[in-house]
Structure formats: C-alpha cells, structure tokens
Amino acid sequence: MSKLLKAEIYKLLHSRYFPALCLAQLLFSTMMLRDSLPKTSNLFYATLWYLPFSYLIVVVFMVLYFANDYEERTLFLYITAGNKRSSVLAAKAVCFVLADLVIMLFPVVVQLTIGGWILKETVDPAVIRPYMGILLMGQAATGMMGVCLAQLYKKVGNLITAGMITFIAMVIALNSKAASVLSAVIPAGHAYRIAAEQITETPGYYMGISAGWIVVMGIIALIAFCRADLK
Amino acid sequence: MNSIVLEAQGITKKYRETLALDHVDLKLEKGKIYGFIGKNGAGKTTFLRLITGLAFPMEGRLSLFGKSGEKSLQEQRKRIGSLIETPALYPYMTAWQNMEVQRLQRGIPDKSVIDKTLKMVGLDNTGKKKVRNFSLGMRQRLGIAMALLNTPEFLVLDEPINGLDPAGMVEIRNLIKELNREYGMTILISSHLLEELHNTATDFIFIDGGRILEELTYEELNEKCKQHIEIKVKDTEKAVLVMEEKLHTDNFKMLPDGTIQLYDYLDDIESVAVAFSEAQVLVVGLAVTGDTLEEYFISKVGGGSHE
C-alpha cells in the first residue's frame, strides 16, 4: 500500500486544486471569523464556529479527487497494474482524509498564529489540547463520508448532487431543534460543539462516535469498490 | 502448461439484459501476437476488461500464467501491461510526471526506466508540455508507454493505433514486433484497422455477439484469404483426376465439405470449366474468390455493428 500512497501523494502535490482549495478555505474561514469572534469566548473557538459550513469545500475536493479519477479512468491504472482493490481504496482514503485535514485545519493554525498576533490574543495550548483528538477524528470521519459517497456515486454529476444533499442535510440537522443531540452524533457537529463549549461528554465519547462512522463508511466504501465493474 | 499465458473457459458476462460475452473459451500462447477482431459491441473490450481486472465474469474460469482465483489473478496482473479504450492520463501533468505516478504505484525503483520508455514511443522531448495539450496521437503513445513501463510479459492493447498518423502506425507496429521478438512478449491487440492488424499479428481471433467465431494463425488466414478458384462438384474423385491429368496441376486443396480450392488458372477459368465439362464432371459451383482481411472479416461477421 505504501507505493500506492506515494503515487497518490505525488498526484495530489502536482495538482492545482489542492493548494487552491487550501487558499479558498483560508479566505472563507477568515471572512467568517469576523462574525464568529463576538459569539465565542476566544479565538480558538471562533475558528471552529463555522467549520461545519466549510464542508462545501470538502464536497468540491471529493469531486475533484475521486470523480475525476473515475471520469479520466486513471483510477483503473492501479487495478490493471495488479494492486488489490482494498489496497487501492485504502491508499486513496488515507490520502484524501489527510488532505482533507490539511484543507480544513490549516486555516485554523494560520488564524491562531496570525490572528493571535493581530488581535493580541494568545490562546493557551492547554485550552486546545483536550479537543485535538475530537477535532481530528471528527474531520477524519467527515472525510470518510466523502470516500464512501465517491464509491457509491462515481460520476461527477451524481457525486456533486449526493455531496450537496449530504451537506444541506447536515446544515439543516445542525440548525434544527434537535441540534444539541445531532451535533454529538454527526462528526461534523463536533467542531461546532467545541466552539459552543458544549462538550458535555469525555473526548473518548466523541472520538468513539467518529471512529464508528469511519468504520461504517469504510466498510460501505470497500464493499462498493471491491465489487464494482469499473467502466 | 507454462506456455499458456491466458486461458478462458466458459467466460460469460452480462450487463443487465445484454449478453456481452457468451461462454468464451480461449487460450493464448506465450510469445505470440494476437489480433482480436470484432465489430463494435462484439465483446472485445469487455473481454479485455475481464483480463485486466476491471470487471468480473458472471460465469466461467479465467487463468493467467496458469493461476486462477481472484486473488492469484490480481497478483498475476502485475506481469501485464495494458491500454484499455482511450489512454487514462492525468491532464494536468507532463508525460514524465504521468509515467512517474505509474512508476511509483508499480514500485519500480529505477527512475531511468521512464526516459527509456518515453524514448521508445517517441515522446522523449515533450519537456514541460502538459498532457492536456497533447494531440490524440501523443496521448496514444503515452498510453502505450505507460503499459510498457514494467516491461510486461503480456501486453493487452485496445485500439492502440487510434489517432496515429501513418508514420506513427508504422512506428508502433515495429515497436510491437520488436517487443515480441526481443522479450518474447505475448501481445493481444484489438483494432478496427484490420490491414494494420494483418501486418502485425501472428494469430487472429474473431469474436461476434460475445462468442469466439474462429481462431486462425497468420498462415491459415492467408490461406483462407488467398485468391483461388472455388469449385463445387458432385464427383470429387473424378474432379481430382481431371485437375491432375487434364489441367496438369496439383496446386489445389480439398476442403472437408468437398469444395476444391484451385490456386492455378486464376486468369483462365474457362479452361477449367471446359476440362470438367469434357470429362463429364458435373460442376455446381465455379468462381474466383479470395479476400482481404477486411473482406474475410465481413464475410464472417456481416456488416454493421451491434451498437
């Protein structure tokens, strides 16, 4: 799998969309920061307040990363070269999730560094540390949803539609009356709960929920990919 | 047993209601160049996709290098190079970068193999030009280069000369022959350019409606396509005597159905008719015949396409 991972990382680093999406997310989240700062008690929470809304960027990334590979049939090169389908999917999933973490969390790091300097507000690392696991696992689980959707809806049009529906459903769920419950079971809501200082359970609880999503999404994606006739 | 690269037994594949492959039995021997010939929708690409692991058969058994079972098959596919349909390329990368992705995913340690292979297909001087700016012929060459990167033992090419100019076709033909000669590479090529295939392949497989119609060696095909007088008579033994004694020739062949193929007197069919008539041999059919590969193909599968 390591050779496949190397190939995936090489492709990602030579793409234009990856740095472009990192930049887009930085700009978007920086704009939203003006709105979230008054609603939260410190800069760290403010950077996470609108994070669930940024998943639109993940949808775009999912389409560019997976659907293009299906459309151009470049994904098939891995299969015809004799690699196991499970290894191919694992390499793509790991690379996608890692890149997704970078796209989503790179602005948080930049904002904490530069924003802290501009606002003269330093965030104590002790405030951030307990939430790191929740945040990383939540983002990884959201990324795995993208991996799963991409294996179910391979074509660009279908994947955009499926991604948008999932995104809108998530936004509605996190703004509904049941948001306090749903934000705990939807990994994308964990960032919002951190921002709203509503982490009522242990970090292990939230990380467990995210791990559950990762496993379920991974299994669905694996079944869909390993049994598919690739056209 | 080791000389068999691929063996298909009763391979069947259905897409919804369409039967793409219908109990295909086929054996490919090591070191030969096979021309895979069929109309659009005949099942060629479906079969190639099964070989390369992109699709799964619904029935039947496929073995590669003597190994079968999905796990073993996938392992054996490391010994295959393929170009299925149009080349699968990363448009935002250069030719070298496309090759580098393949080198990395195949775990080939030596980077110099990229330049060597690009040179082989005439793409060694494309520099920083992105693949999206390549012509169809250049893309095709790059697709072939990617298939050759691991110096495969078995090369599967689906329409490899699409989009190539005549000089390019000759180059690729020579390359295929050279690979076969130098490395003993077994090659399976599907193409619509039948005369080009005729110039390249050593064996021919005709497929239609998902079934293998016929397998012929180059010599057998030439024999079938050779210009001759086809004679159908009631009394074949007497007809043979007439040809030997009256026409003074033994350059003929007797087919199992009693048809005689005479390779002399092509410009003098009248003398043949007269000789049979004088010997009172009842002739029921007499015609000069012989095909090009294209004509032979059409006579086997008919015109039009399944699509």
Side-chain angles (χ1 to χ4, degrees):
Chain A
M1 196 185 106
S2 64
K3 54 188 186 169
L4 288 166
L5 202 53
K6 275 184 203 167
E8 276 305 294
I9 292 169
Y10 183 88
K11 274 164 58 184
L12 189 73
L13 296 179
H14 282 82
S15 72
R16 282 189 182 167
Y17 61 78
F18 179 59
L21 288 176
C22 286
L23 192 65
Q25 171 60 5
L26 179 64
L27 293 174
F28 175 74
S29 60
T30 306
M31 269 166 25
M32 300 311 278
L33 204 58
R34 290 167 63 94
D35 191 62
S36 60
L37 270 170
K39 294 176 180 167
T40 51
S41 60
N42 70 37
L43 180 62
F44 174 61
Y45 296 141
T47 59
L48 301 181
W49 186 268
Y50 283 113
L51 203 61
F53 292 95
S54 306
Y55 288 121
L56 203 56
I57 300 271
V58 180
V59 173
V60 176
F61 180 46
M62 174 180 75
V63 171
L64 292 169
Y65 186 80
F66 283 107
N68 271 355
D69 236 4
Y70 274 112
E71 295 271 292
E72 305 278 354
R73 296 180 303 104
T74 40
L75 176 68
F76 303 177
L77 295 168
Y78 290 170
I79 313 283
T80 58
N83 295 296
K84 282 186 213 160
R85 287 196 182 206
S86 54
S87 303
V88 172
L89 182 68
K92 286 203 76 75
V94 168
C95 188
F96 178 78
V97 169
L98 287 176
D100 172 44
L101 287 174
V102 172
I103 292 171
M104 299 305 280
L105 300 181
F106 150 78
V108 175
V109 176
V110 172
Q111 285 156 2
L112 285 177
T113 313
I114 300 174
W117 176 64
I118 293 169
L119 300 169
K120 307 264 185 286
E121 182 187 328
T122 51
V123 180
D124 185 357
V127 174
I128 302 171
R129 212 170 289 130
Y131 303 124
M132 285 301 287
I134 303 174
L135 203 54
L136 288 172
M137 287 293 283
Q139 292 303 309
T142 313
M144 275 308 285
M145 276 187 216
V147 173
C148 181
L149 281 179
Q151 308 321 312
L152 297 173
Y153 307 96
K154 299 176 177 71
K155 291 183 177 170
V156 172
N158 294 347
L159 194 51
I160 290 174
T161 309
M164 289 303 290
I165 289 171
T166 310
F167 172 73
I168 292 165
M170 186 193 74
V171 171
I172 291 171
L174 294 178
N175 285 285
S176 67
K177 283 180 183 168
S180 57
V181 179
L182 291 174
S183 63
V185 293
I186 298 171
H190 295 176
Y192 177 76
R193 280 182 89 95
I194 295 170
E197 295 176 69
Q198 287 174 0
I199 295 293
T200 51
E201 310 292 335
T202 63
Y205 172 83
Y206 296 100
M207 285 161 71
I209 287 173
S210 294
W213 276 90
I214 290 171
V215 170
V216 171
M217 293 292 124
I219 290 171
I220 296 170
L222 194 65
I223 292 170
F225 184 65
C226 290
R227 290 187 178 176
D229 272 354
L230 302 172
K231 290 178 188 173
Chain B
M1 187 64 196
N2 287 338
S3 68
I4 303 296
V5 170
L6 175 140
E7 186 172 2
Q9 291 174 315
I11 293 290
T12 301
K13 180 72 184 173
K14 220 173 175 182
Y15 291 112
R16 297 184 190 221
E17 294 309 305
T18 312
L19 190 61
L21 292 173
D22 185 7
H23 296 91
V24 168
D25 294 313
L26 197 64
K27 265 186 194 176
L28 303 188
E29 287 175 32
K30 189 174 167 23
K32 291 189 171 183
I33 304 175
Y34 289 90
F36 201 29
I37 305 167
K39 291 189 282 192
N40 287 338
K44 298 187 301 290
T45 301
T46 301
F47 187 68
L48 301 185
R49 288 155 49 80
L50 294 183
I51 296 174
T52 50
L54 295 177
F56 304 104
M58 296 176 85
E59 269 179 51
R61 183 176 165 274
L62 188 72
S63 74
L64 285 167
F65 303 100
K67 302 273 167 55
S68 59
E70 204 38 57
K71 223 173 175 179
S72 303
L73 276 177
Q74 195 57 11
E75 192 58 33
Q76 296 309 312
R77 286 184 182 114
K78 290 180 178 160
R79 300 162 72 178
I80 299 180
S82 62
L83 168 62
I84 307 293
E85 295 173 287
T86 51
L89 307 168
Y90 304 103
Y92 55 87
M93 288 186 186
T94 65
W96 196 94
Q97 287 168 341
N98 267 274
M99 296 287 276
E100 174 67 354
V101 175
Q102 298 318 306
R103 187 191 71 81
L104 289 169
Q105 66 109 342
R106 283 188 179 269
I108 301 168
D110 182 12
K111 272 192 180 189
S112 69
V113 74
I114 296 177
D115 294 318
K116 199 179 110 192
T117 317
L118 284 174
K119 195 172 180 185
M120 216 186 263
V121 298
L123 285 180
D124 49 332
N125 52 2
T126 52
K128 290 184 175 174
K129 190 173 181 176
K130 305 276 186 214
V131 163
R132 65 168 160 261
N133 299 321
F134 276 22
S135 68
L136 188 59
M138 287 169 84
R139 284 166 183 255
Q140 207 68 25
R141 283 164 190 264
L142 184 54
I144 294 171
M146 284 161 76
L148 293 175
L149 193 66
N150 59 329
T151 325
E153 291 166 62
F154 179 26
L155 183 62
V156 180
L157 300 173
D158 190 8
E159 302 288 348
I161 45 183
N162 260 4
L164 294 180
D165 56 28
M169 283 186 197
V170 174
E171 264 178 57
I172 296 299
R173 183 208 307 159
N174 291 339
L175 174 66
I176 288 170
K177 285 183 169 178
E178 195 186 315
L179 289 167
N180 172 257
R181 214 173 26 242
E182 200 171 317
Y183 300 101
M185 208 180 270
T186 309
I187 304 169
L188 177 61
I189 317 167
S190 98
S191 177
H192 284 113
L193 297 165
L194 300 184
E195 285 311 307
E196 188 53 38
L197 211 52
H198 191 228
N199 289 329
T200 315
T202 60
D203 289 74
F204 301 86
I205 302 159
F206 290 87
I207 184 170
D208 191 45
R211 283 177 168 268
I212 302 293
L213 294 181
E214 195 170 31
E215 289 171 64
L216 296 170
T217 63
Y218 184 79
E219 291 74 25
E220 284 170 337
L221 182 69
N222 278 353
E223 196 63 39
K224 293 220 174 199
C225 294
K226 198 171 168 183
Q227 289 275 316
H228 59 269
I229 301 172
E230 194 169 274
I231 309 162
K232 287 186 179 175
V233 290
K234 287 283 180 195
D235 186 344
T236 48
E237 278 176 28
K238 210 169 170 186
V240 168
L241 278 176
V242 169
M243 286 190 291
E244 286 173 347
E245 289 172 8
K246 300 260 183 189
L247 298 170
H248 309 289
T249 179
D250 59 359
N251 193 13
F252 60 87
K253 204 164 129 184
M254 189 81 95
L255 299 185
D257 66 350
T259 305
I260 298 164
Q261 291 184 338
L262 175 63
Y263 299 101
D264 287 337
Y265 292 93
L266 289 168
D267 300 327
D268 191 11
I269 191 167
E270 215 176 292
S271 298
V272 177
V274 169
F276 282 123
S277 171
E278 283 176 358
Q280 294 187 319
V281 175
L282 180 60
V283 177
V284 292
L286 186 73
V288 175
T289 180
D291 299 324
T292 61
L293 178 57
E294 269 170 21
E295 285 163 344
Y296 184 73
F297 167 69
I298 289 165
S299 74
K300 288 302 292 184
V301 303
S305 76
H306 293 289
E307 286 172 343

